[in-house]
Amino acid sequence: MVMMTGRTARAERVEVTRDHILTAAERLFAEHGVFSVSNRQISEAAGQGNTAAVGYHFGTKTHLVQAIVRKHSKSIERHRTEMLAAVEGSDDVRDWVSCMVRPVTEHLARLGSPTWYARFLAQVGTDPALNAIAAEENRASPSLQRNIEGFNRCLPALPPAVRTERGEMMRQLVLHACAVRERALAEGAPTPRESWQGTATGLIDALVGLWLAPVTSVGTTGRPELGEPGAAGQRVS
């Protein structure tokens, strides 16, 4: 019994240490960039006397980034699953866009202020290798895959290149709009919207317009011509 209690206490200490390291790393990565921060700096910011603590608990910086993403993904996954249950069978693009955006903004709202996760993701998004980690975590999300499937079912047909282009626009817009708001809140600067809920509404409005916008093509005259979005059913991913 004493041995079991000792093991439990040690496991709890390890968990607390890991959480301190993740919090410190997320903040430093958000403020300075992933590759501008050393493991030593993270260990010191986490209050660890052992400067090798980051490597001991997480291994490589890639694994550390992955752990930060996973730390937040559980809450986002749970909220998206709840939202999807409410829109199941909808043929409204807005419903499915909302399920992509609001779980993220609601998670940031619940974290309080200041937060660093949106800025952390923006930093990760600038590096192809690190961005691939976040993308892999998204592919492993059952709720996001259901979200994409529902979105695809009601999206107007678009040329493949346009579909890819707008998908990247959507990713960048959500990523950077959240990061800009998060930074403003941390610095006490004014924001266009009073709340994360309002920010989500503005993003959803813009993204629905983005996906339903007509496509400009070059006609036989050589001048741009507007083409209407086609029938539903074209995939976006």
Side-chain angles (χ1 to χ4, degrees):
M1 183 67 176
V2 174
M3 183 179 295
M4 184 62 69
T5 302
R7 289 177 179 174
T8 301
R10 182 180 183 280
E12 290 177 351
R13 288 196 300 272
V14 169
E15 189 62 30
V16 169
T17 297
R18 286 173 59 88
D19 188 62
H20 286 335
I21 291 172
L22 287 176
T23 300
E26 182 181 324
R27 175 176 61 81
L28 291 173
F29 289 162
E31 293 175 343
H32 306 292
V34 176
F35 294 106
S36 297
V37 178
S38 69
N39 285 355
R40 175 185 291 272
Q41 289 172 309
I42 296 170
S43 294
E44 291 174 349
Q48 300 303 305
N50 181 2
T51 56
V54 174
Y56 175 79
H57 287 282
F58 294 99
T60 67
K61 187 166 286 187
T62 296
H63 291 137
L64 180 56
V65 168
Q66 186 179 55
I68 294 171
V69 173
R70 288 180 176 176
K71 174 184 175 182
H72 293 274
S73 63
K74 293 179 182 178
S75 171
I76 295 171
E77 178 80 8
R78 183 168 55 252
H79 187 47
R80 182 177 288 117
T81 299
E82 294 170 356
M83 288 192 66
L84 288 172
V87 304
E88 194 66 41
S90 172
D91 59 359
D92 187 344
V93 170
R94 186 182 183 87
D95 285 340
W96 300 100
V97 171
S98 295
C99 290
M100 294 179 183
V101 174
R102 289 200 186 276
V104 177
T105 56
E106 289 296 326
H107 175 64
L108 291 168
R110 285 194 295 269
L111 291 176
S113 186
T115 58
W116 295 276
Y117 188 53
R119 286 172 287 171
F120 162 78
L121 288 178
Q123 294 283 5
V124 167
T126 63
D127 181 87
L130 295 179
N131 188 53
I133 295 173
E136 184 61 32
E137 291 299 314
N138 286 337
R139 284 191 290 270
S141 163
S143 70
L144 186 56
Q145 295 312 308
R146 284 175 54 202
N147 199 160
I148 292 172
E149 289 170 6
F151 182 58
N152 283 325
R153 284 196 300 269
C154 61
L155 189 71
L158 295 167
V162 173
R163 188 173 67 247
T164 299
E165 179 183 53
R166 292 186 182 183
E168 180 60 19
M169 287 178 180
M170 178 179 188
R171 188 184 75 84
Q172 293 289 347
L173 183 57
V174 173
L175 193 67
H176 290 286
C178 288
V180 167
R181 175 177 173 79
E182 184 182 70
R183 179 179 294 108
L185 290 175
E187 296 174 352
T191 58
R193 303 274 182 160
E194 293 184 359
S195 66
W196 279 109
Q197 291 78 11
T199 298
T201 298
L203 275 169
I204 293 163
D205 288 344
L207 291 169
V208 170
L210 171 69
W211 283 106
L212 299 184
V215 178
T216 301
S217 59
V218 178
T220 55
T221 63
R223 294 193 298 270
E225 297 177 352
L226 288 180
E228 294 295 329
Q234 186 69 40
R235 293 189 59 82
V236 297
S237 64

